[in-house]
Amino acid sequence: MKHLRKILYIAVAIASLASLASCDIDSSPNGKLDGYWKMASIDSIESGNILNLDNELYFWAFQNKLLQLVDRGHKNATFLLRFEKSGKTLTVTDPYRHNSQLEDVPVEDPSTMKAYGIKHAEEDFTIKKLSNSTLILENEEIRINFKRY
């Protein structure tokens, strides 16, 4: 009986190890970028003007290769974009207007994303700062300051 119990324990251990070995752990290469970021302000680089967004509920949510732009105050549409992070460069592309009732539709007029700091269907940002609590993105025209939510 003891011999049978040992064989059973060994069989369970082998099955457990085999099941762990067959699992792929899908980790994101985005590091600290992944997550939910609240827009704090948009700064104009040319004029120096600062648009304070403390009273707005504008968010950028990063996961894997997908970026969601969402206004929890429901004044602006929600958008889905592809993004690629390469070193200190963040490129956003392929914007779609999200429609939870129907199919998402490609954005024809990129100016509809202006509230989120995006004016073009493809846009490059330099990652000026990325920490556990702060994200700062910058292009030729604006600097967007975020706080992790």
Side-chain angles (χ1 to χ4, degrees), residues 102-119:
L102 302 170
E103 197 171 297
D104 297 338
V105 294
V107 171
E108 292 182 19
D109 179 8
S111 71
T112 58
M113 299 181 292
K114 186 178 179 184
Y116 302 104
I118 296 180
K119 293 184 182 177

Side-chain angles (χ1 to χ4, degrees), residues 41 54 61 63 84 93 95 109 111 132 137:
S41 66
D54 285 343
Q63 184 179 3
E84 183 176 333
T93 60
D109 179 8
S111 71
N132 289 332
L137 300 177

Side-chain angles (χ1 to χ4, degrees), residues 38-43 135-137 143-147:
K38 183 184 183 304
M39 294 177 71
S41 66
I42 299 177
D43 309 343
L135 170 63
I136 301 173
L137 300 177
R143 181 179 310 108
I144 310 173
N145 298 285
F146 298 87
K147 299 287 184 199

Side-chain angles (χ1 to χ4, degrees), residues 46-59:
E46 184 177 308
S47 71
N49 292 337
I50 298 173
L51 176 61
N52 185 325
L53 298 172
D54 285 343
N55 295 325
E56 301 297 341
L57 297 172
Y58 302 163
F59 294 89

Side-chain angles (χ1 to χ4, degrees), residues 61-84:
F62 295 93
Q63 184 179 3
N64 201 7
K65 299 267 182 213
L66 187 65
L67 168 60
Q68 180 184 40
L69 308 176
V70 62
D71 175 4
R72 294 293 176 205
H74 307 290
K75 295 180 220 164
N76 296 285
T78 297
F79 298 94
L80 301 170
L81 299 90
R82 294 277 176 208
F83 78 91
E84 183 176 333

Side-chain angles (χ1 to χ4, degrees), residues 1-17:
M1 190 71 156
K2 287 184 179 182
H3 185 66
L4 185 58
R5 189 176 290 180
K6 282 184 181 180
I7 292 174
L8 182 60
Y9 283 127
I10 291 172
V12 169
I14 290 172
S16 296
L17 289 173

Side-chain angles (χ1 to χ4, degrees), residues 19 30 125:
S19 69
N30 302 324
F125 292 95

